[in-house]
Every structure is written in structure tokens, then in C-alpha cells.
Amino acid sequence: MKAIRRFTVRPVLPEPLQPLSDLARNLRWSWHTETRELFESVDPDGWRAAGADPVRLLGGVSAARLTELAADPAFLDRLTAAAADLDTYLRGARWYQEHNGDTGGAGADRGAEGGARGGAELPAAIGYFSPEFGVTAALPQYSGGLGILAGDHLKAASDLGVPLIGVGLLYRHGYFRQSLSRDGWQQEQYPVLDPNELPLTLLREPDGTAARVSLALPGHRTLRACVWQAQVGRVPLLLLDSDVEENGPGERDVTDRLYGGGSEHRLLQEMLLGIGGVRALRTYCRLTGHPAPEVFHTNEGHAGFLGLERIRELVSTPAEALSGTESGTAMGFEAALEAVRAGTVFTTHTPVPAGIDRFDRELVARHFGDDGELPGVPVERVLGLGMESYPGGESDLFNMAVMGLRLAQRANGVSTLHGAVSRRMFAGLWPGFDPEEVPIVSVTNGVHAPTWTAPEVARLGTRRDGAGRPDPSGLTDFAGTPAAELWDVRRALRGRLVTEVRRRLHASWRLRGAEDAELGWIDGVLDPDVLTIGFARRVPSYKRLTLMLRDRDRLTELLLHPERPIQIVVAGKAHPADDGGKRLVRELVRFSDDPRVRHRIVFLPDYGMGMAQKLYPGCDVWLNNPLRPLEACGTSGMKAALNGCLNLSVLDGWWDEWFEPDFGWAIPTADTGTADENRRDDLEAGALYELIEDRIAPRFYDRGADGLPDRWIEMVRRTLVTLGPKVLAGRMVREYVERLYAPAARAHRSLDPGRAAELAAWKYRTRTLWPYVSVDHVEAVAATGAGGSTELGSTLTLRVSVGLGELRPDDVEVQAVAGRVGSDDALVDARAFPLKPAGGPDLDGRWVYEGPLALDRTGPYGYTVRVLPAHPLLATSADLGLVALPTEATGEGAGVLLR
């Protein structure tokens, strides 16, 4: 029989054990080793059965055991120390407060204005919106890299004291659990999650009722959601849940599962995340007194509707009322748009257009029409923000990333290479500008070391920051660690992985229908002394799960080599709707089922955080072979590196910028533009096999007189010492604060309603009058140098005649752009030099601009000139996407040759 209703009976802890509840409800335990060890000591068997989840653990501990612990002085001393350590962590000043000149405590304890402004540059708070958050396996609200990155972002922000507020959705089924059929086909299950059994607290009004947010839907329907709060160290994470009784059946299912359903279902999820998320955040700040965010960070386009909700607030509510100061007047749409853009940061994680959510224009129009959401915001303005109104775009589709970029004054990719890919991908939004000038910067992702570094590795060295103090980010000094100790730990971690693999493989085969009597062979799977390669990914085609299978005979030889064998552990999930990805999984599984090699290569289903935390430390080499340049960042290799695992990767994502032969290998790539994809994959697979056979395996098995692989260990040390500090999430979050959050906060503060209206009016006027701007004549008036020639060190004086129409010189910037030229006359490595007015307008109303052009490089050299809009409140001269360039008949040639 099945229960007709389910609920949770919470344990009653004895008074001396009450701090356990606080420790369990703050997810800092997920990255704080001492707290996890404390919970494990409560009931070691129960800890394993609960999946290392303190909330589930405490729900299953017997009353007798609790009574015993309440009388155990040693346990109570540990509990008191852990509780005091958490209190210090939550209340003490950290990097952000010191960087902000404020040592008075955590940002959340300050007033909305005093502590935030106080002459400081940094924002009072930042709202961080993401469709998924991978904080811990105990809160399964993630599918892959985007969610894990978001979770690491919150944890690093907490460690640094950054006053972040996370906003997402609570999916009652989370992401799917993966198993395999007997023939290796992926199967999905969606277990029901009860929020009362998770480390969550319901956000409540002062009268005890659950706080609610609501959205208007077509047909006079309403989508309501309650708000659950997880506490991630110092950072609150708000998760909206539509499974409330007031909703109809369709509305209750909006937050049923992550990345599920059809277009309208996804649209409603993203409306709830963006629009409902802002309303939930406002409610949270009202109820707790937390400072209102000055900066909103949109993590991928899924959350882009948050900008529209903030515009609605400003057109219907005085801007000052939102920040708790004196009343003011509501803004017009254009002014509100400028105010919202100033304080918004947009991060794109996808390097391919197919990875972006796009909705039918009519579907979006219906949800923002007369009886839909955002009253006061014209539906045509909503549609205009997401339209692909550029060459190659589809005008009948609403693009969430395009809207996110148009609603943010600052945007970034997640590695240097991905930034370049993104600038090319979105260049159509800035017509007239070369991709290199598209205003999308790069902040390379990082990973949270305390979460992903095995305790055995962390204990090898001493954590220190640049000033010699203990470093909360997890940076560890391994320079002085003896080689034998490094090797002993690496072997122990490999052995632990072997045990974990055998356990999981046995469970997987049982689910596939095998009997215990058939599975004796699993006891011989993997060997703790064999070179171990790991590969774990989502399974879209571009990540090439099965590249290693291109030449199965050669792979088999590597696996079974009599002197230098390798073993491979593979994991990964295909999206439930991706049959192509499922076929790749089945292909890999069938190969790994072969009795000849199944002791050397395994596929583990249900890849998630719990598995990953065993997999990364236990591997010697981390394999990554995507189709370049389609990997945005690839943070799994970073997590492996923090444990001394060496990377073997295509030069894509973060590996493209930080690869050095001292700590890994680069897989050579073929021309990705070749029409013969099979030949490309054959070439790259061949290069992979050669690296393993000729360089990697020999180095691993090359032992000195003491039995140690000295050259391998030195690569491990270089990985830990040199690469480790670069891949930290703390470094990443500091970059976000200094390069994006702080400038966004300054821009937000500068745009009061009057200045926002002024900027909006200036933009409208400039766009209207821009067709009358022209570059009419360009000439090099004189040259100084040896004999007036164009030699290195000489200077050209440019004179440019510019027509501005009704615009004034203060409205524009005139530049000379110079650099090397290729055979097609395209400028390479170009730099811009400002030109200044040489007086007033001539009789025809044209302005003459002049300026020197220093010839500081030899070889083919060229220049051009251009006119750009200019205003002190613009973040970049490309902001409006407007530029005036010379015509072919404008003046003298634009190329000179330096000798």
C-alpha cells in the first residue's frame, strides 16, 4: 500500500544538542570538513545511509543515541567549537568588508544606506539569479556545469563576505536520476523532493503565513509561488516553488522539474525566475532588513526577465522608494531602461546559438499582453528587447540571451576564448564594430576549493593567502611537501576511487537486472596501481563522449598493455530529450560491457556532485576532448587539478589560456572548418592515443630507485602550486566584484531619475540624428621624421572633415584607428587615437578634427577614422551600436608601409 499523504516528523534534540540544528541548516557544512566529521561521528552508518546529509541524518538518529551524545563531554566540546566557528564565520569582517573600508561586520547586518554607501565603492548587495544551483548533493537543484558554477559562486562569495543574494527555482523533481537498461540505454527517474526534508526554511510574513509572490497569466489566471530559503554560509539563496494549493494543476507544475516541458512551460519557468525572483527578493529584504541589491547579476539568459520587472517597478514606483529613501516620481520607460541597464551584469555560458532559449514571438506577446504580466510596460517594447533584429536573425523568435544583453550594461563570457567566441556570436547587436570591440569581456570561471579538494590533499599543505594568513578560499602551499607524501596520497585516493567504482558498478548492474551470482567479476574491476583516466560530462554531441572509441582496437591495446596499462572511468548524462546523446551513452556502455576490457573501463550512471567528489581526486589524468571552440570553460578539469590530477585536453575553454607543459598535455586539433567531420575526429583521436601511449603512460610508469615516478610527481606539484591558485572561485568572484559589480554599482548610483531621463533623451536624439553624421574627407597633412618619410618613429598628422548634422562635438568622439594590415587591408591589433576639433564649423557646417598618428611599428601599416557617440554616462563607446566610417571616396589611401 502507498501513503495518501506524506509529511515529515522532525526530531526533538536535547537542549545540549540544539546547535546541531543550526549547523545542519547552514550549508557551510558541505564544504567545512570539521563540521562534516562532527555529523559523521553522530552515527557513521546513518551518515552513509543519509548520503552525507545532516538533515536526513538527524531525522533518523535514535532517541537513545541523542541522549548518549547529550551526555558525552568530548562530543559537546566539539559541538561547541563548531558552533562558535560558524558564528565567527558568519559575523566577522572578511575580504569584502576590508576591501570596502568597512570592518563593522557582515553586509547583511548593516542598514540599507549607511553601511552600503559610507564612501565605499562596493555595492550594498548583489542579486544573483540562476536557473540552477549546485551547492550540495543534499539539495539536488542542478543539472551540470552552469548550476555547479552558480553554487561555487555563492560559496566563494560567502567566504569573501560578498553580500550576495541568490535567486532560483525549487524543482520538486530536481533533475533526473539516471540508470541504464540491460542493453545500456539511458533511463530517467524523477524522484519527488519534499522541501521539508531538505535544508530549507519557508520564508514567512510576520503573522506566520507563508510569503507569496504572484504573476498574472493570460485568461485572468494567476501563478503563485512560495519562497524557500537555503543558507549558503553567509549567503541566502531564495528558491521559488509553484507547488502551492492556491494554484491550479497547470500552475502547480511550473516548477516540477529542471529543463523539462515544452516552450510555454519553459517560458513560465523563466518568467517566474526573473519576474517572480525580483519580487521574492524584494519580499526577503522587506522581511529581514537585508540591504536592497544595487547590482543584479543575470547568470545566463534564463533569468533575463528580471530586467523587465525592474523596469516595471521604476515606471510604476518611484525609484527612491525601492531603496528605502524619500519618495520621488516614477520614470518613463526609456529612463527606466537606462537605470536598469546601469546596474545589471549579464553572463553568457553558451558558445553555440543552439544553447540559447528562444520563444515564439506570439507566445511571448500573449503573456505580456493586456491581461498578462508587467502592466505599464508596452508589449511591443518587451518584444523589441528580445528580437533578433540583425542580419541572420529570425524576427519571429524572442531570444533570451539577446534580451539579457540589451538589458545589461556589462556582459562577460566565462573564459578568454569563450569571450572571443561570444563577441563573434553576438556581433550583430553592435553593427559597424569589429568583433574584438563588442563589449563582452571575460571572467574565467573558477571552482570552490574547499568543496572539491579531497581532505587528504588539503591536509598535505598549509592554507595561506598572499599575506601569510589562513586563506578561506582553500589555497594550499604544496611547494615543500615531500614527493613520497604526495605520491602516497595520490595512490590512496586512487584506491578509494576503485572501491567507490566497484560499489556503484554493482548497484548499476543490479538495476540493469543482473543477479549477484553474475557479478563476481566486479571485485576485479580497476587496480589502484594502474594509470587512471577520468572523463565525466553532460553528453551533448560537441563534448564527444565517444571520441576515445574511434579506434577500438588501439584503445583496447592501451587498456590491456602488459607493462603500461591504463584504466578509464566515464560518467555523464544525456538530456532526456536528446536521443543522439543517449545513443552515445549506449555506445560507450556496450564497449565497457565487453568482458575483455570491462575490468579496465567503466561507465558509472547518475553522475552528480556526490560521485564527482570521489572521481576528481581519484584520477591521475582528466580527459576533455570537445570540438574546439565549443567548450565555454570546462570547470571539471579545474576541480581535478586542485587534487593533483593532470589535465589532458583540447585547447578549449580555460585550458586554452592556462595550459603549460609543466602540468598537462594539449590534444592537437584539426581544422574545425573541415567538411569531413569523420576525418577530423579520426585525426584528433589518433593524437589522443599517441599522447597516452608515447608520453603520458611512460611518464607515469617511469620509476626511480625509490619506486617513485619523480617526473610525474613534479607535474603533480606544479599543478597544485602554479595552476591551483588560478582556478579558484575566490579569484573569479574577486574579479566580478572589481571589474563588474563595483562599476555597475557606481553606474547605478549615478543614474537618479533626472540623469536617467537625460541619458535616455540624449540616446533618442543621437539615434535620430545619426544618419546625418559623416566622414567627408581624410588626409595626412604632414609627416615628421627623417626626410618626412614614413619610417619608424615618424608621425602623421591627420586632418579629418566630419559632418555632424545637428549634433555637437560634445556628442561624439572622432578617432583614428591604426594597426597592421593584412592582404585584405583588414586592420589587425588595431588601436584607437582620439582626434580633437581644430576650430568651429566651416561654412558648410563641417568640423575639422586633427591629431597625430605615431608610426611605432614596422611593416604593412594602415589606418582609418570613425565617429562614435560619446556621453559621460556610457559604459562603452559601442553602447548604442552606432558608428560612422569613411566611404571609399573620402580621401587619401588609408595604408602606409613602414620600413
Side-chain angles (χ1 to χ4, degrees), residues 804-866:
L804 298 182
E806 296 184 30
L807 294 177
R808 303 289 297 171
D810 288 347
D811 296 319
V812 302
E813 179 179 2
V814 181
Q815 297 176 340
V817 183
R820 300 186 187 278
V821 290
S823 58
D824 59 353
D825 287 338
L827 292 170
V828 181
D829 296 328
R831 289 183 292 172
F833 302 89
L835 304 177
K836 300 298 182 184
D842 61 18
L843 294 177
D844 295 322
R846 294 180 177 85
W847 297 78
V848 174
Y849 281 74
E850 289 185 351
L853 177 60
L855 305 182
D856 58 356
R857 300 182 227 182
T858 59
Y861 195 80
Y863 66 85
T864 187
V865 295
R866 64 183 179 183

Side-chain angles (χ1 to χ4, degrees), residues 331-339 341 381 751-768 871 873-874 880:
M331 294 185 184
F333 179 89
E334 296 296 342
L337 172 61
E338 296 304 328
R341 290 186 72 248
R381 302 312 306 270
L751 281 185
D752 57 37
R755 300 194 76 187
E758 173 199 334
L759 178 60
W762 177 85
K763 282 190 173 184
Y764 176 80
R765 177 173 175 269
T766 301
R767 288 192 179 102
T768 302
H871 191 283
L873 294 176
L874 292 183
L880 279 73

Side-chain angles (χ1 to χ4, degrees), residues 648-670:
L648 168 62
S649 176
V650 166
L651 287 175
D652 203 1
W654 71 275
W655 193 237
D656 181 71
E657 64 192 272
W658 287 335
F659 161 70
E660 291 182 19
D662 287 346
F663 39 73
W665 297 269
I667 303 172
T669 52

Side-chain angles (χ1 to χ4, degrees), residues 578-876:
D578 181 10
D579 283 349
K582 292 181 183 181
R583 282 191 287 272
L584 295 177
V585 170
R586 182 171 61 184
E587 185 180 354
L588 194 290
V589 170
R590 286 180 170 178
F591 180 82
S592 67
D593 285 349
D594 187 331
R596 294 179 301 161
V597 297
R598 64 187 182 186
H599 63 300
R600 285 283 187 258
I601 181 170
V602 297
F603 180 88
L604 300 180
D606 208 30
Y607 179 47
M609 290 186 72
M611 180 193 298
Q613 286 171 320
K614 301 285 199 317
L615 186 54
Y616 300 135
C619 291
D620 300 294
V621 173
W622 195 255
L623 175 61
N624 185 34
N625 47 229
L627 181 60
R628 189 180 191 271
L630 302 184
E631 181 82 89
C633 185
T635 54
S636 62
M638 295 178 168
K639 297 162 194 153
L642 287 176
N643 291 280
C645 179
L646 309 183
N647 274 268
L648 168 62
S649 176
V650 166
L651 287 175
D652 203 1
W654 71 275
W655 193 237
D656 181 71
E657 64 192 272
W658 287 335
F659 161 70
E660 291 182 19
D662 287 346
F663 39 73
W665 297 269
I667 303 172
T669 52
D671 178 11
T672 56
T674 179
D676 189 346
E677 295 182 1
N678 284 323
R679 174 168 169 74
R680 177 202 64 210
D681 287 353
D682 285 342
L683 290 172
E684 295 185 13
L688 170 61
Y689 300 139
E690 287 179 12
L691 279 170
I692 294 173
E693 185 173 27
D694 299 338
R695 297 176 59 187
I696 298 173
R699 180 160 296 195
F700 180 85
Y701 288 106
D702 179 19
R703 308 297 165 92
D706 54 3
L708 298 178
D710 295 321
R711 291 195 301 159
W712 187 276
I713 294 171
E714 189 54 34
M715 290 184 73
V716 170
R717 190 189 308 278
R718 293 286 295 171
T719 295
L720 294 169
V721 172
T722 304
L723 186 57
K726 296 180 180 180
V727 303
L728 295 179
R731 182 270 313 152
M732 171 190 72
V733 171
R734 279 192 280 260
E735 282 194 46
Y736 273 108
V737 169
E738 294 166 348
R739 296 177 56 198
L740 294 170
Y741 295 163
R746 290 193 294 270
H748 163 79
R749 294 166 190 165
S750 71
L751 281 185
D752 57 37
R755 300 194 76 187
E758 173 199 334
L759 178 60
W762 177 85
K763 282 190 173 184
Y764 176 80
R765 177 173 175 269
T766 301
R767 288 192 179 102
T768 302
L769 298 176
W770 198 257
Y772 304 100
V773 176
S774 60
V775 178
D776 297 324
H777 187 72
V778 180
E779 61 179 359
V781 176
T784 61
S789 63
T790 55
E791 294 181 345
L792 183 66
S794 61
T795 301
L796 296 178
T797 301
L798 299 182
R799 290 177 60 88
V800 182
S801 176
V802 174
L804 298 182
E806 296 184 30
L807 294 177
R808 303 289 297 171
D810 288 347
D811 296 319
V812 302
E813 179 179 2
V814 181
Q815 297 176 340
V817 183
R820 300 186 187 278
V821 290
S823 58
D824 59 353
D825 287 338
L827 292 170
V828 181
D829 296 328
R831 289 183 292 172
F833 302 89
L835 304 177
K836 300 298 182 184
D842 61 18
L843 294 177
D844 295 322
R846 294 180 177 85
W847 297 78
V848 174
Y849 281 74
E850 289 185 351
L853 177 60
L855 305 182
D856 58 356
R857 300 182 227 182
T858 59
Y861 195 80
Y863 66 85
T864 187
V865 295
R866 64 183 179 183
V867 185
L868 302 171
H871 191 283
L873 294 176
L874 292 183
T876 168

Side-chain angles (χ1 to χ4, degrees), residues 481-630:
T481 305
E485 290 186 25
L486 272 176
W487 184 244
D488 286 345
V489 166
R490 293 293 312 140
R491 188 185 185 282
L493 293 172
R494 200 182 311 117
R496 191 175 72 180
L497 175 61
V498 169
T499 301
E500 180 74 3
V501 165
R502 292 173 181 173
R503 182 185 70 81
R504 288 179 177 270
L505 194 61
H506 188 278
S508 172
W509 271 103
R510 291 287 288 151
L511 288 174
R512 294 174 71 180
E515 300 294 337
D516 285 337
E518 302 176 71
L519 301 178
W521 60 273
I522 290 179
D523 293 339
V525 167
L526 303 190
D527 183 329
D529 290 313
V530 168
L531 171 63
T532 304
I533 299 175
F535 182 100
R537 294 286 188 282
R538 290 184 303 109
V539 192
S541 59
Y542 76 87
K543 290 182 183 283
R544 299 193 293 185
L545 171 73
T546 57
L547 185 70
M548 65 181 76
L549 303 182
R550 295 296 294 185
D551 186 338
R552 300 184 182 207
D553 291 339
R554 192 166 182 187
L555 176 60
T556 300
E557 290 174 2
L558 291 171
L559 293 168
L560 303 180
H561 195 285
E563 298 175 357
R564 298 190 298 272
I566 68 170
Q567 56 195 16
I568 305 176
V569 183
V570 184
K573 291 180 176 180
H575 188 279
D578 181 10
D579 283 349
K582 292 181 183 181
R583 282 191 287 272
L584 295 177
V585 170
R586 182 171 61 184
E587 185 180 354
L588 194 290
V589 170
R590 286 180 170 178
F591 180 82
S592 67
D593 285 349
D594 187 331
R596 294 179 301 161
V597 297
R598 64 187 182 186
H599 63 300
R600 285 283 187 258
I601 181 170
V602 297
F603 180 88
L604 300 180
D606 208 30
Y607 179 47
M609 290 186 72
M611 180 193 298
Q613 286 171 320
K614 301 285 199 317
L615 186 54
Y616 300 135
C619 291
D620 300 294
V621 173
W622 195 255
L623 175 61
N624 185 34
N625 47 229
L627 181 60
R628 189 180 191 271
L630 302 184

Side-chain angles (χ1 to χ4, degrees), residues 259-474:
Y259 301 143
S263 288
E264 184 164 17
H265 186 265
R266 290 285 290 274
L267 177 63
L268 290 175
Q269 284 190 340
E270 297 183 5
M271 289 176 63
L272 183 60
L273 172 60
I275 299 169
V278 172
R279 294 173 187 174
L281 193 154
R282 302 297 188 202
T283 301
Y284 174 80
C285 292
R286 170 176 60 82
L287 293 173
T288 64
H290 194 291
E294 296 182 276
V295 174
F296 287 74
H297 187 167
T298 309
N299 194 36
E300 256 307 344
H302 308 286
F305 286 124
L306 74 86
L308 292 176
E309 167 62 7
R310 292 172 58 219
I311 289 174
R312 183 205 62 79
E313 290 178 329
L314 294 173
V315 299
S316 61
T317 307
E320 291 85 350
L322 294 176
S323 57
T325 61
E326 68 278 3
S327 62
T329 57
M331 294 185 184
F333 179 89
E334 296 296 342
L337 172 61
E338 296 304 328
V340 165
R341 290 186 72 248
T344 303
V345 174
F346 177 80
T347 298
T348 174
H349 292 260
T350 179
V352 290
I356 297 170
D357 275 346
R358 301 158 85 201
F359 298 106
D360 183 82
R361 174 190 174 96
E362 295 304 317
L363 176 65
V364 176
R366 187 165 68 251
H367 282 80
F368 292 94
D370 293 338
D371 64 344
E373 255 303 332
L374 305 183
V377 180
V379 66
E380 63 271 13
R381 302 312 306 270
V382 173
L383 295 174
L385 287 167
M387 283 181 59
E388 298 181 356
S389 53
Y390 44 81
E394 297 186 42
S395 59
D396 60 338
L397 293 179
F398 186 92
N399 187 310
M400 293 296 290
V402 167
M403 178 181 65
L405 287 164
R406 285 176 172 153
L407 285 170
Q409 197 176 72
R410 288 164 179 82
N412 70 284
V414 292
S415 68
T416 299
L417 179 58
H418 178 238
V421 170
S422 299
R423 287 188 286 274
R424 290 195 299 270
M425 192 164 86
F426 295 110
L429 294 174
W430 289 271
F433 290 87
D434 292 339
E436 295 76 17
E437 296 181 293
V438 167
I440 299 176
V441 301
S442 299
V443 176
T444 301
N445 282 343
V447 295
H448 187 243
T451 295
W452 300 110
T453 306
E456 296 88 340
V457 174
R459 283 193 283 263
L460 278 176
T462 304
R463 293 179 182 176
R464 291 288 182 263
D465 65 10
R469 300 169 299 185
D471 184 3
S473 69

